[in-house]
Amino acid sequence: MDNQNNSRNTEQHSNKVPEKKKIFLIINVVIRVLQSLFVFAVVILLLGGALGLGIGMGYFAFLVEDTQPPTKEELQTEISDITEVSRMTYADGTNIAMIKSDLVRTRVDSEHISPLLKKAIISTEDEYFEEHKGVVPKAVIRALVSDATGMGGSSGGSTLTQQLVKQQILTDETTFKRKANEILLAYRIEKYFSKDEIVTTYLNVSPFGRNNKGENIAGVEEAAKGLFGKNANDLTLPQAAFIAGLPQSPIIYTPYSNTGALKDDENMAYGMKRKDFVLFSMYREKAITKEEYEAAKSYDLKQDFQPQQESNQNTEGYLYNAVLEQATNAVMDINIEKAGVKKETLDDLGLSQYKDQARNEIQNRGYTIQSTIDQTVYDTMQNAVANFGYMLDDGYGAGLVETGNVLMDNKTGKIIGFVAGRDFNVSQSNHALDTVRQVGSTIKPISVYGPAIDQGMIGSESRLANYPISYRGGGELTNATNSGTNTFDTVRHSLEWSYNIPVYHLNEAMKTQMGDDNFSYNNYLSKMNYPASDAWAYESAPLGSVETTVLTQTNGFQALANKGQYQKGYMIEKITDNSGKVIYEHKETPVQVYSEATASIMNDMMRSVLDSKITTPFKNMINGLNPTFGNVDWVGKTGTTNFYKDAWLVVSTPTITLGSWTGYDIPTAMSPNSGDQNSAYLANLANAIYSVRPDLFGAGEKFTLSKDVIKSKVSSFTGEKPGTFTYNGGTYTAPGPNVESFYAKDGAPKSQYKFGYGGSDANYSAYWGRYATTTPSSSAGSTTTPSSEKKEDKKKENSTPSSSEKNNN
């Protein structure tokens, strides 16, 4: 029995041995396979790396083959070069001025820069600065992989030397060719210049935000003076750290606004956080001790910032500032588009960055900015405001009554000349291009009558209710000279008198009919770049409670004068660099806002506004100043606001539009005669322009009705087609005299009892009853025949009104 058990155990043991050998064999095979795969992978990587390196070197050589390596002297000039003067010109190329750079900079030698500042900038921007030869290869590879894959965010990769190349020699475009040239030039700079020369140059040319005067500054000396009132070699550790953090984003991190005032705590925090990061970088790189780091971080640096001071720079005046501003906006838009960013997605901070970048580019790159301004016209307009500006003063308000005027070419939108104000020394506000004020009744043709005609709602002789009424929310709505005429007035008559009540009814009816409380803005004014605002939907909007600039309002009338086609007003024709390459050129982007028929009808009615001389004596004055003006076809519209705080007049000929606003900088009541005074001033301004450039006015040309205008015969009683109709059991006739009414579409509708817009049942009953006699009815009912208007009504309509108007909001 024991022998059997021993035999069985021996057999089991002998079976286990082969199994263990099998396991060891499998493990051994797996290890050998993995070793072989690893060796194979290493070989492949080495071969691939060698191949990749070879291809990469070949591609790099291809990218820089056209680059002629600069000499030391050439590099010295390029990396030290700071600005190149740009200039602005009139339309004919004559100089307006050389563009003064507002970048304040003072060069200093290495020994006049604090060692703390050098350590701070190196620790933060280029930790391997003392070791590399201009480029850190692994950082470049990391940046290229990030750019190629879109992964890893902004990985940087630029040394101080490369940053110097980007700032001073190359452009900001992000192409492999530019990057390759950047690397080549960085190596070249490291070959010729010492590390101290490189960091010193970098600190002298880099931008450092703004100083306490609001001036843009560059170089550490101006940064030290402008922020802390010290020289660059006298900075404390926290001061040096703050300045060293600025070049990455100078406008965001600077403690000052563009006026030199200190930013609020929220915006100041960006620079303070950056300062702390610089201090940590210095501690990490062992440039400072832990104790120095903690002491500098806890120090209240705000107490060291200099208080606001007034800038010493002299301004160049209205024209210089306007051209520079318009050119800056043009370049800013180009740069935003190049960056692939949608402008509307940028917040104020983002827009400010792009604007500062554009202004710096214009001021320092040797550009030539060609404006649209005619020198002779512009100078004449300035002389005219100097000679006739006294016409605007009436002693009602405090200070100088200001004015803003824009002269625009109808066909192109070109701004030929402007008046920004009476005296730049008194007010630097550009009242032509920038000042925003309530537009008064000048908005009526643009936002109500024009759209209503365009939609076929009215013709020139349609009738609108003019009975006393209140706003829905309470408060009486009145006309300038009465609380209502107690009748239904025609569209043309209402426009000539600039009545508020009829245009209110028409606007309310248009919103209801179109199903949109903001119909006019959404479908018309927005296309002409009027500013978006909830105010366009208010009941008072058609009366002129909305606000805009003289430029925008002049541009709206330009569209009507240009057969309904809007051309955005512009002042910059072209911008070229010092080699003649075009950086920017204006391109026309016409927008058909109103139909040609609508525009021609509106011009016909606005001719009546001036010819009637009800709201403005402009036509008498203009012809009295110069008999040859009789050959010029003038159309236009006036506007005033509550308490005569603003007075407007915008006039057009077939070729030009001239807008005018007057008022105090701080809205203050003017004389009830302010409208007449503005008209007298504008007549003298137009006459002065005509005396030097009569060709601008299109003498002999006429505004004519377009071929597609529908001329409908209508009853003067209803403004609709004459005829007989039944209403409420009676038969009514709307007889003549018949007149011609102009429609842009559809033509006049058949006469009906409620023929106009606005008015209550009682108003219609009174109107029919007042102007008609009733004869005995037939089986079909009574027949109503209108009689002539009462004498007192005719007297009212033919009386000589005050030539001023008031917008009651």
Side-chain angles (χ1 to χ4, degrees), residues 483-502:
S483 297
T485 59
N486 292 306
T487 189
F488 287 85
D489 286 308
T490 67
V491 169
R492 187 184 296 272
H493 184 76
S494 298
L495 182 64
E496 289 171 357
W497 281 77
S498 197
Y499 287 142
N500 292 330
I501 297 172

Side-chain angles (χ1 to χ4, degrees), residues 24-305:
F24 288 135
L25 180 62
I26 291 171
I27 293 173
N28 188 45
V29 170
V30 169
I31 292 173
R32 288 179 178 275
V33 169
L34 289 174
Q35 287 177 334
S36 300
L37 288 173
F38 176 75
V39 171
F40 180 75
V42 170
V43 171
I44 291 298
L45 286 173
L46 289 173
L47 290 174
L51 179 61
L53 181 62
I55 293 173
M57 292 298 291
Y59 183 56
F60 180 86
F62 167 74
L63 291 174
V64 300
E65 64 179 352
D66 296 330
T67 303
Q68 183 66 35
T71 64
K72 180 179 180 179
E73 291 72 22
E74 290 171 337
L75 275 177
Q76 178 70 60
T77 300
E78 288 187 297
I79 64 175
S80 301
D81 182 47
I82 295 171
T83 62
E84 187 169 358
V85 179
S86 299
R87 68 189 184 106
M88 58 179 68
T89 75
Y90 291 100
D92 63 357
T94 305
N95 260 17
I96 294 175
M98 305 308 288
I99 296 178
K100 183 168 52 182
S101 173
D102 65 351
L103 192 66
V104 182
R105 187 195 316 259
T106 302
R107 291 180 187 271
V108 287
D109 296 331
S110 175
E111 58 267 26
H112 294 113
I113 298 176
S114 167
L116 284 173
L117 193 49
K118 294 178 183 178
K119 290 178 182 178
I121 202 75
I122 291 171
S123 298
T124 307
E125 297 290 338
D126 190 354
E127 59 190 286
Y128 301 110
F129 180 71
E130 298 295 347
E131 304 166 18
H132 65 65
K133 299 298 182 182
V135 175
V136 178
K138 64 179 181 181
V140 173
I141 293 171
R142 184 175 66 245
L144 291 174
V145 170
S146 176
D147 290 342
T149 63
M151 298 173 62
S154 178
S155 56
S158 293
T159 63
L160 280 176
T161 315
Q162 288 174 269
Q163 291 181 44
L164 186 60
V165 170
K166 283 192 288 187
Q167 282 191 62
Q168 297 298 104
I169 303 176
L170 301 178
T171 65
D172 293 329
E173 61 178 333
T174 55
T175 64
F176 287 119
K177 184 176 181 64
R178 191 209 60 76
K179 193 69 177 178
N181 279 292
E182 174 191 306
I183 293 170
L184 178 67
L185 292 169
Y187 277 124
R188 199 79 172 173
I189 288 173
E190 292 276 348
K191 175 182 177 181
Y192 290 133
F193 303 100
S194 69
K195 291 290 185 178
D196 188 64
E197 287 175 318
I198 293 170
V199 73
T200 299
T201 302
Y202 177 87
L203 290 170
N204 270 315
V205 302
S206 294
F208 285 89
R210 299 189 181 104
N211 62 15
N212 62 330
K213 298 177 183 178
E215 299 167 325
N216 290 323
I217 55 176
V220 290
E221 182 70 4
E222 286 299 334
K225 289 180 178 178
L227 271 65
F228 303 114
K230 293 183 174 182
N231 293 320
N233 60 348
D234 295 326
L235 296 170
T236 64
L237 176 56
Q239 292 169 349
F242 189 91
I243 289 177
L246 290 170
Q248 186 191 68
S249 193
I251 299 304
I252 291 178
Y253 295 142
T254 181
Y256 297 106
S257 70
N258 59 0
T259 65
L262 283 168
K263 294 179 178 177
D264 57 34
D265 289 344
E266 182 180 354
N267 288 298
M268 182 84 76
Y270 295 116
M272 291 301 183
K273 288 179 181 177
R274 178 66 178 169
K275 178 260 298 180
D276 291 344
F277 174 76
V278 173
L279 287 170
F280 176 76
S281 298
M282 295 179 76
Y283 169 55
R284 180 193 62 201
E285 298 302 314
K286 297 181 172 55
I288 58 176
T289 66
K290 183 178 180 180
E291 291 74 18
E292 288 173 322
Y293 164 65
E294 290 177 345
K297 185 179 178 182
S298 61
Y299 179 76
D300 181 13
L301 188 61
K302 291 181 184 178
Q303 63 184 322
D304 291 356
F305 291 130

